[in-house]
Amino acid sequence: ANCSANTGILYKATLSHSDGSLSEMPIMDCVADMQVVFGLDTDSNGVVDQYSEDISTLSAQQIREQVREVRVYILGHEGGSDKTYVHATQNILVGETISGTTYGRTFDLQSTIGTGWQNYRWKTYSMVLKPKELYK
């Protein structure tokens, strides 16, 4: 009820291997956008040397060998609508610029959220995950 129009709830789901059912748990309300960027080690020296938003062309073996970071960016808002507050900008980068290249995308609040977007406190949450189990 406190969320802006055109936002949703981000869920974590656990798959039961025995019957294929999903056990869902909400982890964040009022999510407008989410972007994922992968840090790759393409020369096998243990250091990220390339970032990519799409690893769909990599084989399972390449994913295990190359993915060293998973960067997750989530755009949401804190609290409900506040008619006394006006958000500073209509466009928000959901991602980041790394070595001069921008990853993720610029989210246009007006075109996606619509009327009233400016009365929410929008925030981008960033997480950098280092998946160790992929390359044991």
Side-chain angles (χ1 to χ4, degrees), residues 82-96:
D82 180 352
K83 300 296 182 198
T84 65
Y85 174 80
V86 177
H87 192 73
T89 180
Q90 175 178 326
N91 297 301
I92 298 176
L93 175 61
V94 183
E96 71 179 301

Side-chain angles (χ1 to χ4, degrees), residues 1 5 8 22 30 73-74 80 94 98 115 123:
L22 292 176
C30 309
Y73 310 95
I74 300 171
V94 183
I98 304 169
T115 305
K123 181 176 180 179

Side-chain angles (χ1 to χ4, degrees), residues 33-54:
D33 193 28
M34 183 172 93
Q35 299 294 310
V36 179
V37 176
F38 300 93
L40 306 175
D41 173 12
T42 61
D43 59 8
S44 301
N45 70 352
V47 178
V48 172
D49 55 46
Q50 180 180 325
Y51 290 91
S52 178
E53 298 168 332
D54 182 5

Side-chain angles (χ1 to χ4, degrees), residues 119-133:
N119 299 124
Y120 291 89
R121 289 176 170 80
W122 296 98
K123 181 176 180 179
T124 302
Y125 300 88
S126 302
M127 294 177 279
V128 179
L129 311 165
K130 300 196 181 230
K132 306 243 183 257
E133 292 82 31

Side-chain angles (χ1 to χ4, degrees), residues 17-29:
H17 291 281
S18 62
D19 63 6
S21 65
L22 292 176
S23 174
E24 296 179 342
M25 180 175 66
I27 57 173
M28 187 173 180
D29 291 334

